Amino acid sequence: MKCETATQAVLVSVPISVVEAILTLRSALDDDVASALGKSLAGARTVNTAQLDPPPTSVAVHERGKYAAEFLGVGFSVDTLAALFGRVVDMMADVAPENLVSLAGIRTRGRRLISLEPRGIHPYSPHLPVQLTASGWWISKNISKDQLRSALRTVCEISGLTFGKDLRFPFR
């Protein structure tokens, strides 16, 4: 993490488990809560890390959602397949946004996987529903399990990840 202001620069090493926990919290909190937490932590002093318990090595999957996945060790669950793909896109935006630009250039027979424009998802069927992710990318809301699995494999190929190891779906 690098924090730069006019008078100081700080470089901090953070264990991957902490980053995973932060990504999980960030995706779970709405903007108002995340903003309030950010403001409350803005003036915080440094913490003696020897007094802190180590973070868990993996984050538990919430049992609320119908569909579960794990991305780079961070488990999550959602109610729809489109929401699951949207969550993966948002997490990818946090860790490797340049891969999303490459993903936006890929197109299946009838759709693009992601687009910065809502009309870019279903160019031949503009009546089909689309959804905006938290990271600003549009995705299709009309997606089957097979299409999702194929899209997740494509995400892995572009990112140099392994489907079934770095990105797991379905995840139990």
Side-chain angles (χ1 to χ4, degrees), residues 35-119:
S35 175
L37 285 173
K39 288 177 185 174
S40 69
L41 293 175
R45 296 186 182 270
T46 59
V47 178
N48 182 356
T49 57
Q51 297 175 353
L52 296 176
D53 292 330
T57 56
S58 65
V59 179
V61 174
H62 300 288
E63 295 299 325
R64 295 188 312 228
K66 183 176 177 182
Y67 303 101
E70 184 182 80
F71 182 69
L72 297 175
V74 178
F76 61 93
S77 67
V78 293
D79 290 328
T80 67
L81 295 171
L84 192 142
F85 186 59
R87 180 75 61 92
V88 170
V89 168
D90 290 340
M91 293 172 91
M92 182 63 73
D94 287 336
V95 296
E98 65 280 2
N99 291 335
L100 293 177
V101 175
S102 298
L103 188 63
I106 295 179
R107 183 177 175 161
T108 66
R109 192 171 31 145
R111 74 176 81 187
R112 288 192 189 284
L113 297 177
I114 63 173
S115 176
L116 289 173
E117 296 293 325
R119 293 179 299 262

Side-chain angles (χ1 to χ4, degrees), residues 127-165:
H127 63 281
L128 292 175
V130 294
Q131 156 181 331
L132 182 63
T133 68
S135 57
W137 290 93
W138 289 90
I139 61 171
S140 177
K141 286 181 78 173
N142 185 34
I143 189 168
S144 69
K145 273 189 181 180
D146 288 338
Q147 290 169 328
L148 175 62
R149 206 174 282 113
S150 175
L152 295 177
R153 286 182 191 277
T154 302
V155 167
C156 287
E157 289 171 16
I158 287 176
S159 307
L161 301 172
T162 304
F163 185 76
K165 182 180 176 188

Side-chain angles (χ1 to χ4, degrees), residues 3-63:
C3 174
E4 293 188 36
T5 64
T7 59
Q8 63 181 347
V10 178
L11 183 61
V12 178
S13 295
V14 179
I16 190 69
S17 57
V18 173
V19 174
E20 292 168 351
I22 290 170
L23 287 174
T24 300
L25 284 173
R26 181 171 181 237
S27 63
L29 297 174
D30 64 18
D31 291 337
D32 293 335
V33 174
S35 175
L37 285 173
K39 288 177 185 174
S40 69
L41 293 175
R45 296 186 182 270
T46 59
V47 178
N48 182 356
T49 57
Q51 297 175 353
L52 296 176
D53 292 330
T57 56
S58 65
V59 179
V61 174
H62 300 288
E63 295 299 325

